[in-house]
Amino acid sequence: MPDILTVIIFLLGLPVSVWVWANIYAIIDETDRAVPLVRLAATGCVILAGLLLIGRTYVWPLLAAWITIMVIYVGVFYAYRHLALGVEQHTDRPVPFLTDELTRDEEEELDLPDPPQT
Amino acid sequence: MKALTWTKPLSEITLADAPLVGGKAAHLGAMLRAGFQVPAGFVITVDAFVDHFGQLTDPLVKPTPPRIQPELMAEVVNNIVEHLGHETSFAVRSSSTDEDSSQASFAGQHSTYYFVTPNRIDQAILDCWMSLWSSAAIAYRRAGWADIAAVEPVRMAVIVQQMLPATRSGVAFSRDPVDQKNTDVVIEACWGLGAALVDGRVSPDHIRVSEAGALTNYKISTKKHQVQPTSKNYTGARLQEVPKAQQHEAVLSTPEAEHIANISQQLETLFEYPQDVEWAYVDEDLYLLQSRPITTFPGQHSIQQPLVIFKPMAENFTEPLTPMAEDLFASVLPRCGALYNGRFYLYLDFLRSFTPWKVADHELAEIALLRQPETSGKLSIAKLIGLGGLLSLGFLADGINWLRTSRVSNRALLGFKQVVQKVAADPKLNAKQTLQRLIWGRHPFEPISHQMFYTNVSAGRYFILISVLNKIVTTFLPDYDTNELPKIYHSQNDMASMSMLNRIEGLTQTLRDLLASNSPTYTQEREEVLAALEGKHHTLPSQGAFTQEFEQFLDEYGHRGARELELAAPRWREAPADLLSLIYSNAKHPPAEDRTYSSHLVARDNLHQRLKPWQRRIVDNLVAKVSHYIRLRENTRHLHIMAFSATRDKLLAMEAEYLRLGLVQIPTDIFFLTFAESQDLGAGKLDPEDAQLTIRKRRRNWQRLSRQPTPHTINIQYPERASGADQTGQCASPGIVSGKARVMFSLTQGHELQPGEIIVAPYTDPAWTPLFSKAGGIVVETGSFLSHAGTVARELHLPCLVDVNGCTQSIKTGQTITVNATEGYVSLPGVEV
């Protein structure tokens, strides 16, 4: 059973991991690479300082948070594309300017008065 | 010999003769007897049909064509001499016993032949009879009519009438067939014969006349084609280009439209039921060609959920998508809404799930329409916590992309061009796969620029940031006019639409120089360019400075054009005529002085001077963010439209192959099939004749749907503002301007715009951008702060009012109006706001 500090570090590690991954991606995205590199280095220093303060045992919840974010990110990517795309299409019965597409059932469903006998 | 028993003159026919002469002829006879002007003629009754075909047992099996008996031809010749003595050609029309009945009309599924000469009349009669077994009619019976046909054998009479060389024709509906409550007479009118009108091959003018008989609305369409009234047009299939000057001309004058409306109302009285009337003008004489009951009115919506249109997307759906575009578009849209009649709507319940307070349906609809809701809802703490949780989870799931889009640069976006080229050149990817790949990317480790659609949607967050910026600036400076802020966060030349506008300005200047040059070196080029611009040639000369610059422009911007999400809409590189016409029109006027950048600097300095340094840093940071997202949204739109263009190219390649194989008949047919149907057609799983029947039906429905106004909500009690009741709207770009109005329904009217005139239009899209530099202001019916009209107008510091309901009807071209885009209304002379 993980102690409370492990859980807290894991939870705090989640948004930090989003930040870290976003900066790693910024390098892939070919944006100005110096900025994400500096940010990553700074984040690394802060994390290292924190670990030195509380003890290196807690590197594992941080790593777990980092991997969790990537798993969620990849999972959401594929889940979204396979499950969430493809909206319903609805078209009301043909626009009734002319009547040639109507079937007898549709006529009955509409319950319209009879036109004059021809 | 059977003397004079197979024919009957139209003038002797009554409605009671329908079993003998068919529904169409019975109606024509009744109209003639009632004194309406109907072309003279006679009918070959169903007795002739029975005597030639005998008793047919299976209506689905096509019989062998019989030989026409000489006795019938003798009778026909006698009738021609007696009733059509002076005519040299005739119209031969089918009139089956199940046509125009209360249960089905078979309209257009049996044949009509035009300009039939006496020596071909026997063949035309036989063709009319055999059209009872056309693939269309058989498919129709297969769809549920076989049992009826078996009980009551269908028979065919044939009408032989005077052939009218109609110069104008159309249909009139004595009641609005779309809106049961509306008693307006609806008229559609086109040039030439009306043969192509009923199957949607030509775009007619759309006219409304009130029940009292006064013209209330005349919408002129661009009528590019007509069915030519010539003797070579036996089936009415031959289309001819309408002379350019006539394409935008009204087919009917006001008295003529009112006269037709009056006649259709009289026919409704005669037949005691709303009528659908076909009419034709030969010079100034009006003839009636057919009248039949309108037997249906719209029923309940096929969808039960409440839906609301999402305003920033509304300008893409001023016309419904064609079935192919709808089908492919549906496959890449997330399930937060539905496509209804070719337009995209959000589920109201989806919006509700993100709203942390209780809101009535109509208030929620106001939010989606970006209008100011009356927030009477109560904030729920539980829902607020829920929303906070949802946002936190959203950040964990998608925060990486949120942060990525906040930093992506223009240079990084350009990588998407290569992706498009690669996917477009990949023969293994069909149109659907191409669109899916380009819209959503391939895998989660690709650069964000490969997920262009996501980036585009995500950039819409500037709308929220602008509210924050306004709030912060008014907190720092309570007396500051926030209408000045757009001048600060806009004015960016690295935005695609502005670069495009600058390039067009460059082209316009090149053309000005060419036209003004006296140098003999340029004489030939000038003449050739002028010939192309004035429509004498279809293409620009192969060489020359203007041509070269124009080709370079098309290389970069040729994938753009009007209605870009519509896959059936041609792009500039395919149809540059409208664009060239705009450039030519702009070149006739001196260039307008560009003061946008100087006013940007002035506005920025004014604000800076009044802020303390720490406040300035906060405001500048926010302005930079807003500018970034505005630029990102415009630039990603420019790039993700490439995905639609590449998809269109794949569809066109497929269509060219199908046309070659005879699987489809005319260009654009493919867009009236779904993607699966088009694949089945290519694989031989779908009969080309069945496909053609489907295409024909959908083409007509699409045309008519496109003339219906877009309802903002479905299944929601939401008070739509009455058209023309007021002239208020949303301020998309602040400012006040007075000037002459120019009402424009399509870009083809662009050359009419004079410098300083105010554009009044149903909507605008990027293809309209070249007009903006010449306009004094913009008023549109459809749009929002986020829409194209607003974005570009803010860039150019042009007053722009959007969401002005019915403005194209209540404002007339030439009227002097004042657009107050700061307070949100248009002043018309003599109208109190």
Side-chain angles (χ1 to χ4, degrees):
Chain A
M1 187 74 183
D3 62 57
I4 189 74
L5 197 57
T6 306
V7 175
I8 290 170
I9 289 174
F10 174 76
L11 292 175
L12 285 176
L14 290 172
V16 175
S17 301
V18 171
W19 165 260
V20 171
W21 273 118
N23 280 295
I24 293 171
Y25 266 111
I27 297 165
I28 299 172
D29 288 340
E30 297 176 34
T31 45
D32 185 3
R33 284 179 180 149
V35 176
L37 280 172
V38 168
R39 283 174 177 167
L40 281 174
T43 310
C45 290
V46 171
I47 290 171
L48 198 63
L51 285 176
L52 286 173
L53 275 174
I54 57 173
R56 64 181 179 184
T57 324
Y58 293 103
V59 75
W60 296 110
L62 275 179
L63 267 178
W66 194 66
I67 290 164
T68 304
I69 288 299
M70 190 34 50
V71 169
I72 292 173
Y73 179 72
V74 173
V76 164
F77 182 94
Y78 286 111
Y80 188 71
R81 278 149 188 77
H82 288 98
L83 302 174
L85 295 182
V87 300
E88 290 177 46
Q89 296 173 63
H90 298 269
T91 303
D92 269 356
R93 59 175 55 82
V95 183
F97 274 78
L98 300 174
T99 60
D100 49 342
E101 285 84 16
L102 280 191
T103 64
R104 189 174 48 167
D105 289 343
E106 284 174 320
E107 286 273 351
E108 284 169 2
E109 194 188 315
L110 288 172
D111 194 27
L112 291 166
D114 286 330
Q117 292 298 310
T118 53
Chain B
M1 180 178 167
K2 293 188 175 185
L4 297 172
T5 55
W6 279 332
T7 57
K8 198 162 184 176
L10 274 178
S11 55
E12 291 174 14
I13 289 169
T14 65
L15 281 179
D17 291 321
L20 184 68
V21 298
K24 187 187 288 173
H27 274 79
L28 283 174
M31 286 151 69
L32 200 58
R33 289 166 75 91
F36 293 99
Q37 184 152 262
V38 173
F42 62 92
V43 181
I44 300 163
T45 66
V46 293
D47 287 348
F49 175 85
V50 172
D51 288 344
H52 280 77
F53 286 89
Q55 291 300 325
L56 297 161
T57 51
D58 191 345
L60 302 178
V61 177
K62 189 175 186 175
T64 315
R67 275 195 63 240
I68 292 204
Q69 296 178 23
E71 292 88 346
L72 174 60
M73 285 316 299
E75 204 174 315
V76 166
V77 170
N78 283 341
N79 269 282
I80 289 175
V81 171
E82 192 176 337
H83 303 291
L84 300 163
H86 301 294
E87 302 296 325
T88 52
S89 62
F90 316 100
V92 178
R93 310 169 70 192
S94 61
S95 178
S96 81
T97 51
D98 61 354
E99 191 171 291
D100 296 358
S101 70
S102 61
Q103 292 176 312
S105 73
F106 272 84
Q109 307 209 6
H110 301 143
S111 300
T112 292
Y113 300 99
Y114 304 96
F115 296 98
V116 178
T117 48
N119 61 330
R120 291 189 69 185
I121 206 157
D122 53 343
Q123 186 58 47
I125 293 167
L126 199 56
D127 287 345
C128 269
W129 281 343
M130 294 308 291
S131 72
L132 204 52
W133 294 278
S134 69
S135 58
I138 287 177
Y140 187 65
R141 287 191 195 98
R142 275 196 187 124
W145 283 86
D147 52 336
I148 293 173
V151 177
E152 288 178 46
V154 180
R155 294 161 175 183
M156 176 75 87
V158 176
I159 307 166
V160 180
Q161 268 181 302
Q162 173 192 1
M163 181 67 229
L164 297 177
T167 47
R168 298 171 289 162
S169 32
V171 289
F173 303 93
S174 61
R175 301 276 179 92
D176 185 337
V178 178
D179 180 2
Q180 201 169 357
K181 292 173 195 160
N182 195 328
T183 52
D184 283 356
V185 177
V186 177
I187 302 170
E188 294 180 346
C190 64
W191 299 116
L193 302 182
L197 183 76
V198 288
D199 61 15
R201 283 183 294 150
V202 298
S203 307
D205 286 354
H206 193 67
I207 306 145
R208 282 181 173 272
V209 178
S210 70
E211 193 181 8
L215 185 103
T216 54
N217 184 288
Y218 196 121
K219 188 173 177 187
I220 301 175
S221 299
T222 306
K223 298 169 288 293
K224 287 189 176 168
H225 298 100
Q226 63 174 330
V227 177
Q228 50 182 344
T230 71
S231 55
K232 289 176 185 169
N233 217 346
Y234 181 58
T235 61
R238 191 172 292 208
L239 290 178
Q240 181 188 36
E241 199 166 333
V242 174
K244 212 159 188 180
Q246 224 180 347
Q247 289 182 5
H248 305 293
E249 238 177 63
V251 172
L252 295 174
S253 66
T254 302
E256 285 171 339
E258 290 172 352
H259 180 50
I260 292 171
N262 182 258
I263 296 256
S264 69
Q265 286 170 327
Q266 287 179 37
L267 287 170
E268 180 179 318
T269 310
L270 175 70
F271 295 120
E272 299 175 345
Y273 201 81
Q275 293 292 301
D276 158 5
V277 183
E278 285 182 25
W279 54 267
Y281 264 104
V282 179
D283 299 324
E284 302 307 314
D285 294 326
L286 176 67
Y287 289 86
L288 303 180
L289 307 179
Q290 191 168 343
S291 182
R292 60 182 167 218
I294 305 171
T295 53
T296 71
F297 289 105
Q300 293 298 309
H301 293 302
S302 60
I303 188 166
Q304 300 302 318
Q305 298 100 315
L307 295 175
V308 57
I309 212 156
F310 184 45
K311 205 59 195 251
M313 290 182 79
E315 66 185 1
N316 296 306
F317 300 104
T318 48
E319 283 183 41
L321 295 176
T322 53
M324 176 65 81
E326 182 181 337
D327 194 34
L328 293 184
F329 201 54
S331 72
V332 294
L333 280 177
R335 290 180 192 148
C336 54
L339 279 156
Y340 176 74
N341 279 349
R343 294 166 166 119
F344 182 69
Y345 289 82
L346 281 178
Y347 289 131
L348 199 75
D349 294 337
F350 171 78
L351 279 178
R352 194 183 299 286
S353 64
F354 289 101
T355 317
W357 57 87
K358 287 179 185 169
V359 191
D361 281 4
H362 70 275
E363 287 174 334
L364 212 48
E366 296 274 3
I367 293 170
L369 293 167
L370 303 186
R371 291 175 183 160
Q372 286 292 326
E374 295 166 17
T375 46
S376 61
K378 286 180 184 168
L379 194 69
S380 143
I381 299 216
K383 281 215 164 186
L384 202 59
I385 293 170
L387 184 70
L390 202 67
L391 279 172
S392 305
L393 284 175
F395 181 74
L396 295 183
D398 205 35
I400 296 176
N401 278 342
W402 295 359
L403 294 170
R404 287 170 83 181
T405 48
S406 70
R407 284 195 285 269
V408 65
S409 68
N410 270 349
R411 189 174 52 80
L413 291 180
L414 291 176
F416 187 67
K417 269 189 183 177
Q418 277 81 48
V419 179
V420 174
Q421 282 163 3
K422 203 173 156 190
V423 171
D426 188 343
K428 288 180 198 153
L429 295 174
N430 62 32
K432 191 173 186 173
Q433 291 160 332
T434 298
L435 189 66
Q436 288 175 337
R437 173 75 62 85
L438 292 175
I439 291 292
W440 289 112
R442 198 173 175 188
H443 56 73
F445 305 106
E446 281 185 317
I448 193 72
S449 59
H450 295 196
Q451 300 169 44
M452 201 51 75
F453 188 67
Y454 176 89
T455 316
N456 179 263
V457 173
S458 164
R461 71 183 97 163
Y462 78 81
F463 184 61
I464 300 165
L465 287 175
I466 284 174
S467 307
V468 176
L469 178 66
N470 284 350
K471 193 90 183 160
I472 287 179
V473 172
T474 44
T475 307
F476 292 158
L477 305 168
D479 60 336
Y480 184 77
D481 179 9
T482 50
N483 286 319
E484 289 291 298
L485 284 175
K487 290 180 188 169
I488 301 173
Y489 52 73
H490 275 276
S491 295
Q492 310 173 58
N493 280 331
D494 53 351
M495 208 164 86
S497 35
M498 294 314 295
S499 313
M500 184 169 83
L501 192 60
N502 289 339
R503 290 284 294 273
I504 290 172
E505 284 297 315
L507 271 166
T508 309
Q509 192 53 48
T510 307
L511 186 60
R512 271 192 207 107
D513 295 343
L514 183 67
L515 298 180
S517 165
N518 292 322
S519 162
T521 321
Y522 299 113
T523 307
Q524 193 188 347
E525 187 191 347
R526 184 170 57 239
E527 281 172 8
E528 285 176 350
V529 167
L530 270 175
L533 294 173
E534 287 169 358
K536 291 172 194 161
H537 289 175
H538 287 294
T539 51
L540 287 169
S542 54
Q543 287 181 333
F546 181 75
T547 305
Q548 203 179 357
E549 198 175 331
F550 190 67
E551 279 171 0
Q552 283 167 359
F553 175 84
L554 289 184
D555 282 345
E556 201 163 338
Y557 299 99
H559 65 286
R560 309 215 64 167
R563 303 193 61 232
E564 292 169 325
L565 295 192
E566 171 54 70
L567 295 171
R571 312 289 145 158
W572 276 342
R573 66 165 172 261
E574 300 165 52
D578 284 344
L579 178 63
L580 281 170
S581 165
L582 288 182
I583 293 170
Y584 185 36
S585 156
N586 286 359
K588 290 174 185 167
H589 305 284
E593 195 179 344
D594 180 13
R595 291 185 184 155
T596 51
Y597 191 65
S598 56
S599 62
H600 158 74
L601 292 177
V602 170
R604 196 187 62 182
D605 289 347
N606 282 345
L607 179 64
H608 276 182
Q609 281 168 13
R610 297 183 59 191
L611 291 171
K612 292 174 185 151
W614 64 273
Q615 291 174 334
R616 194 185 304 163
R617 265 198 296 279
I618 293 172
V619 170
D620 280 354
N621 195 282
L622 259 173
V623 165
K625 284 274 173 217
V626 170
S627 301
H628 168 75
Y629 288 120
I630 290 172
R631 188 171 56 238
L632 189 63
R633 191 167 165 83
E634 276 295 296
N635 292 357
T636 48
R637 161 125 190 174
H638 171 76
L639 290 166
H640 88 241
I641 289 301
M642 284 181 184
F644 288 86
S645 182
T647 307
R648 175 176 160 80
D649 289 347
K650 295 232 167 178
L651 287 171
L652 289 180
M654 181 164 72
E655 186 180 62
E657 179 66 9
Y658 286 8
L659 279 167
R660 194 181 64 78
L661 296 171
L663 298 177
V664 292
Q665 289 186 354
I666 55 170
T668 71
D669 268 359
I670 202 88
F671 296 101
F672 292 90
L673 293 173
T674 63
F675 186 71
E677 284 167 350
S678 70
Q679 297 292 94
D680 286 349
L681 184 62
K685 293 179 195 164
L686 177 63
D687 185 343
E689 288 182 346
D690 289 344
Q692 200 48 232
L693 179 66
T694 306
I695 290 166
R696 183 179 167 280
K697 186 179 80 176
R698 288 187 187 155
R699 194 186 278 277
R700 187 176 50 196
N701 281 337
W702 176 80
Q703 265 216 351
R704 287 178 171 145
L705 267 177
S706 67
R707 276 181 226 116
Q708 285 181 262
T710 310
H712 285 135
T713 58
I714 308 283
N715 298 329
I716 300 172
Q717 290 293 322
Y718 177 77
E720 291 280 353
R721 283 180 290 163
S723 175
D726 57 23
Q727 291 306 307
T728 59
Q730 292 178 30
C731 308
S733 175
I736 300 171
V737 64
S738 288
K740 282 192 175 171
R742 173 69 60 181
V743 182
M744 297 165 73
F745 291 98
S746 79
L747 200 55
T748 48
Q749 292 172 271
H751 62 278
E752 296 167 7
L753 183 77
Q754 299 300 312
E757 284 186 335
I758 296 165
I759 297 174
V760 180
Y763 73 102
T764 71
D765 60 24
W768 290 62
T769 306
L771 289 175
F772 282 32
S773 57
K774 210 161 74 171
I778 295 148
V779 181
V780 288
E781 280 180 346
T782 303
S784 68
F785 189 86
L786 295 179
S787 65
H788 173 264
T791 308
V792 178
R794 285 193 298 275
E795 280 299 321
L796 296 171
H797 303 173
L798 213 58
C800 175
L801 209 55
V802 295
D803 205 14
V804 185
N805 208 27
C807 62
T808 53
Q809 301 305 323
S810 50
I811 301 173
K812 308 288 175 211
T813 292
Q815 213 170 15
T816 302
I817 60 172
T818 301
V819 180
N820 187 329
T822 302
E823 291 176 33
Y825 64 86
V826 184
S827 307
L828 305 180
V831 177
E832 195 177 324
V833 178

